[in-house]
Amino acid sequence: MDIKSKNTDNETEEITNKSEQTTKQTAFDEDNSPPPAGSIRYKLSAKWIRVVMFIISAVLTAYALTAIQALSCCEYVWDIEAAVMGDEQPARKQSSTSSAQVSKSEINSLYNDLCIVASQVLRYDSIGKWDTYKRTIFKNEINNVIALNGKVYFEEDGPREFVVNDDRYDYYVGFGSSYYTNISGLTSSSGYDDIAAKLESDDVYYIRLYNKIYKGGKSQSRINYYDGDAAAYSENLPLGSSYYDEETAAHIFCYNNLGYFDTVFEDEDSLTGRFTYTDDEGNTYANPPMYKLGSRYVYSEKLDKTLQKLNDSGITVAIGLRPQISKAAGSEKLTPDEQINLSKFITISLFPTGAVLFIIIIMLMVRCGYNRDTGTFTPSKWLDKRFTAELFFITACAALVGAGILMNSLNGEIDIAFGQKNIVFFLSYALGIFLLWIIGFGSVLVLLRKLKSRTLFTTSAVIKLIGFTVKGIADVIHKGENRLSVSAYNKLTVARKMLVRNLIFAAATAIAIIFLMVAVFENWDEYDNIMIVGVYETFYFVYFIWYFLSSIDYFHDSDKLCRKIDTIGTGEKYTGEPMSKTSAFFEPFKVLDTLDERIKTQAEEMVKSERTKVELVTNVSHDLKTPLTSIISYTYLLSKEDMSDEAKDYVAVLQQKTEKLKSIVNDVFTLAKAASGAEVKSEQLDLAMLVNQTVASNADIIDKSGISVKTQIPDKPVFIIGDGDKLSRVFQNLLDNALKYSLDGTRVFIDMTVGKRAEVAFKNTSKDEMNFTAEEITERFTRGDKSRTDGGSGLGLSIAKTFTEACGGDFRIELEGDMFKAIAEFDLMPEDDEEQEEKPESLL
Amino acid sequence: MENTQTVLVVDDDRDIVSAIGKLLTDEGLNVLKAYDGLEALDTIATKQVELLIIDVMMPKLDGLSALMKIRQNNNIPVIVLSAKSEDTDKILGLSMGADDYITKPYNPLELIARVKANLRRYLTLGSAAASPARHGVITVGGLELDKETKSLTADGKKCTLTATEYKIIELLMSNAGRVFSAEEIYQRVWREDAYAVENTVMVHIRHIREKIEINPKEPRYLKVVWGVGYKIEKY
């Protein structure tokens, strides 16, 4: 079908491309596109065609297999080679029978056992009545020796009830007057001729009389033994030959067939040759030896001993393969000509049958499940979707096994049926094959269909079961973890995990040491205790190795963590390897990651917002200063004009106020910039000198104010880190403030004390009552008198506080009665740096 | 001589230009006006200008860019007049070639003083600078110290100093840019052990400033390095 459709591919492709748009949408490749309705390809894709082909395949298979079976029954087959070469002579074919399946070793081991039976069991059978106990032991030992292939064994009861459990053989075994056989008409006195005549086998037979061995039949090569005189092969002891060792008083016999190196003798010291036995009633019997698997002597070693040879002349063993039933029935009812004609027909017909069958099978496997309307492979609703894939797999296997059983078990019958020309038998045989094929091949096709439509695994019960099991196990493990507080351990912080780890390690180590010490000093020699110590020490060793390795991991991971912290501190990028997810440090590491990110984004945002703030301040400053410039300029010009005294006063006021406005504007922007944290320098400076400089540079103002300033400042330099310009502004403002609001005639005290920090205090006595709090006064635009009439912007203390804090100091106001105290505190510079400062001084 | 001096005032605020124009005209200077950078360049190219006062933030071409162009082939004194009052702004303006930097809102008297000082330096000292350096003369910016005559000239104006003041300024100018602490200055000038000398030194410094600086509150030459000492700014 597919082959044919390929021939028409060129036509259909054109049609496909021209006709439907839907084709293009679904056309991932040419094979998947549905053929246009009405085309040859479409017609050939019909499902019923595949069904018919499937049935045809079953019929052909049934025919082929049945024909092959029939062919195997033919004794005279048509020889293809001969026919081709023009030679019409029929070739006789060796038909396969079940007798051919009897292996060489099987025959040999049966012969082996029968020889032992003759030499040992039947020899002593004639000695007399055994006591039950001894007989049981004897039989057990003999069973041990001979029951190698399970075909010969003793039954529990009776004196000599041994069984040859294989009806494919004719056998005879005897010693003296005792014998056992499944051939009728033989007696204890039967000789070779009698036995050979009674054995029905034409295939293979084997007879031993004492050490004389005869073999015969068509397949006598399947017997290992030499024929002729067994004793002539001096290196070997004849199988079953018996001896009595007087030295050790042991009864000995040979039970291996090719014994030079491995011929083994049995002895039993306790036997001491007690060959007579007296029962309770006083009757004396000959006592058979007791066999036990005692010491074994290699034949060659024991030859120098005086071994008393026992009489083996009574041994008689014969085996013959029974002819098969098929042969009894014979295939002679079909003449050779008929057989040759039949085989000729079958052989010739098998070639086209096989070829067609092959094509159909391949085609069906490729095209099964194809839906010509959608161009895809779809599973059938009533079969594929209802049952799991495993079911079809099982049915396929079952069909295969069924076919095997059918072919094997009817082997014999088929020969008979062939001979009897039993058509009904062959038809039913073919029907069986047909049904098995339908089931087996059908299952294979269903599986293929599932595979193609991607439903094999989704419908598979095993997959579902595995999924279910895995989920179940995961659930159980999860619950177990909760219960075993493993998850509780995982929730611990790293430090606690380490603690738990180390505690466990310490405990385990302590126990290991104590165990060792106890074992050494207490001289423990009890096996159990030593075992416990050994097992524990082994476990401890493994644990120690694990602990050691995981400690290295801990070390590496904590090292990583520290490096990560370092990079966060320095603001660099972490370039080390990432933390593995299984590490105990994974969580902290992750937290650090987020922290790092957050710090960076925050820093960026801060920088951005500061920049906008500074820009804003700058712009507003420009916008305010430009008109102010004009005002100041024109006021100045105005003051130069000729005008009335009154007008001159007005202009003076204008000038005063513009000056004030100027200072306010400047202060406001200074403050705004300081508050935004922009442009604060960090330099080393001498706070003592700074305060001195401030006071000194204001000497004229101080003189004018009429208020004296008392300073108490250390002679030694007091080094701090700060911005000199800003701090000078701080003290300038504090000094201005003190001078402005001090009561006339009072003193301003400037004290500097150096303890843990450097502290500068400005103290003055207020001329007005201070009706405000320390907090209020540092607020912007708050003034002591709240009137805001005289000079100053009201920002002085605000600026002082802001600048002090910008330089890393603390600023506070203390009020006590009329005492106003402004205190600025700064961290001292570390001692080390102070020494560095001294160097330039020493150079001077 | 002063009558012939021409000052170009450039600012986008016409009122300010007009006010400055009036201030300078009153001082007997010839004033030209421009309202953006390009205009200023045109005027400089076509007319004789002895001094330029220029705003920074202006349309078309800002003051600093215009300054850079002017400086390519002109060495007239330039005073930058700007509302930007940060140190960095000042440093930027001066390093771009400005001779002086005045922040808005300016003090009219200071402006006049600075204009005069710059003109003086340009016209009188400029020629002096052109002559080979005299022996024993230290020049720092507009300051000129003659060791032979023990005299100091600030922006071309002779200053009268006391002996101590002279010694201090000589010490600082000889080591322009270096910071001296009050003790060090005292030790070197007075040649005595220094003890609580901050006030003494500072008083002298203030006096010197009043003599050499146009605006002693905002000194250009003699500066306090807060918490460290004093220095003459190196130009």
Side-chain angles (χ1 to χ4, degrees), chain A residues 276-437:
Chain A
T276 53
Y277 169 70
T278 310
D279 69 5
D280 298 340
E281 292 159 17
N283 301 322
T284 301
Y285 303 102
N287 197 3
M290 286 182 71
Y291 289 89
K292 275 196 171 178
L293 297 175
S295 317
R296 299 186 172 195
Y297 304 107
V298 174
Y299 169 53
S300 57
E301 285 176 358
K302 289 293 171 183
L303 267 187
D304 55 341
K305 285 195 168 184
T306 315
L307 292 179
Q308 182 194 327
K309 177 95 176 76
L310 299 179
N311 183 12
D312 294 331
S313 60
I315 294 176
T316 309
V317 173
I319 303 174
L321 264 179
R322 282 187 178 171
Q324 294 303 302
I325 300 164
S326 60
K327 284 186 187 145
S331 55
E332 308 307 323
K333 287 179 180 173
L334 277 175
T335 65
D337 281 348
E338 278 175 328
Q339 285 191 28
I340 287 166
N341 283 338
L342 181 65
S343 68
K344 191 175 181 176
F345 171 74
I346 289 170
T347 312
I348 291 170
S349 70
L350 274 178
F351 286 106
T353 307
V356 170
L357 194 58
F358 179 74
I359 290 168
I360 288 176
I361 288 172
I362 296 295
M363 202 181 297
L364 280 175
M365 286 171 82
V366 170
R367 302 297 287 181
C368 69
Y370 184 75
N371 185 327
R372 63 176 175 178
D373 293 325
T374 61
T376 54
F377 293 97
T378 48
S380 82
K381 270 176 197 164
W382 64 275
L383 245 186
D384 300 15
K385 286 186 177 171
R386 198 169 301 171
F387 304 105
T388 69
E390 282 75 17
L391 184 74
F392 295 103
F393 183 72
I394 289 166
T395 51
C397 290
L400 195 65
V401 170
I405 292 170
L406 187 69
M407 284 166 150
N408 265 337
S409 64
L410 293 178
N411 227 336
E413 283 78 356
I414 219 165
D415 274 353
I416 299 164
F418 183 75
Q420 293 168 348
K421 299 183 188 175
N422 192 340
I423 302 297
V424 176
F425 177 85
F426 278 100
L427 280 180
S428 48
Y429 185 88
L431 185 64
I433 298 282
F434 176 81
L435 291 175
L436 286 172
W437 179 257

Side-chain angles (χ1 to χ4, degrees), chain A residues 236-305:
Chain A
N236 298 331
L237 288 175
L239 186 63
S241 41
S242 299
Y243 301 87
Y244 180 72
D245 183 359
E246 287 179 338
E247 193 184 333
T248 57
H251 188 82
I252 295 162
F253 81 104
C254 170
Y255 67 80
N256 211 332
N257 57 352
L258 284 172
Y260 177 77
F261 289 110
D262 55 353
T263 294
V264 180
F265 298 89
E266 297 284 336
D267 81 336
E268 173 59 52
D269 288 345
S270 63
L271 286 177
T272 57
R274 286 190 292 123
F275 269 71
T276 53
Y277 169 70
T278 310
D279 69 5
D280 298 340
E281 292 159 17
N283 301 322
T284 301
Y285 303 102
N287 197 3
M290 286 182 71
Y291 289 89
K292 275 196 171 178
L293 297 175
S295 317
R296 299 186 172 195
Y297 304 107
V298 174
Y299 169 53
S300 57
E301 285 176 358
K302 289 293 171 183
L303 267 187
D304 55 341
K305 285 195 168 184

Side-chain angles (χ1 to χ4, degrees), chain A residues 146-289:
Chain A
I146 66 174
L148 296 173
N149 61 10
K151 284 199 162 68
V152 180
Y153 57 90
F154 278 88
E155 298 219 86
E156 280 302 307
D157 302 317
R160 52 179 180 88
E161 303 83 352
F162 86 98
V163 173
V164 177
N165 184 26
D166 197 327
D167 57 7
R168 287 174 302 171
Y169 299 99
D170 285 333
Y171 68 88
Y172 175 91
V173 55
F175 188 91
S177 59
S178 300
Y179 71 96
Y180 194 75
T181 183
N182 63 352
I183 309 168
S184 55
L186 289 180
T187 65
S188 60
S189 58
S190 296
Y192 170 77
D193 292 337
D194 297 334
I195 297 170
K198 288 286 182 185
L199 286 176
E200 290 186 62
S201 178
D202 64 340
D203 193 21
V204 60
Y205 70 91
Y206 201 71
I207 300 170
R208 172 182 177 181
L209 294 170
Y210 183 34
N211 283 342
K212 213 62 175 160
I213 294 173
Y214 312 90
K215 58 182 178 182
K218 295 191 295 259
S219 316
Q220 48 184 287
S221 63
R222 273 190 292 172
I223 308 274
N224 260 353
Y225 299 113
Y226 308 97
D227 51 357
D229 190 356
Y233 304 96
S234 59
E235 281 175 309
N236 298 331
L237 288 175
L239 186 63
S241 41
S242 299
Y243 301 87
Y244 180 72
D245 183 359
E246 287 179 338
E247 193 184 333
T248 57
H251 188 82
I252 295 162
F253 81 104
C254 170
Y255 67 80
N256 211 332
N257 57 352
L258 284 172
Y260 177 77
F261 289 110
D262 55 353
T263 294
V264 180
F265 298 89
E266 297 284 336
D267 81 336
E268 173 59 52
D269 288 345
S270 63
L271 286 177
T272 57
R274 286 190 292 123
F275 269 71
T276 53
Y277 169 70
T278 310
D279 69 5
D280 298 340
E281 292 159 17
N283 301 322
T284 301
Y285 303 102
N287 197 3

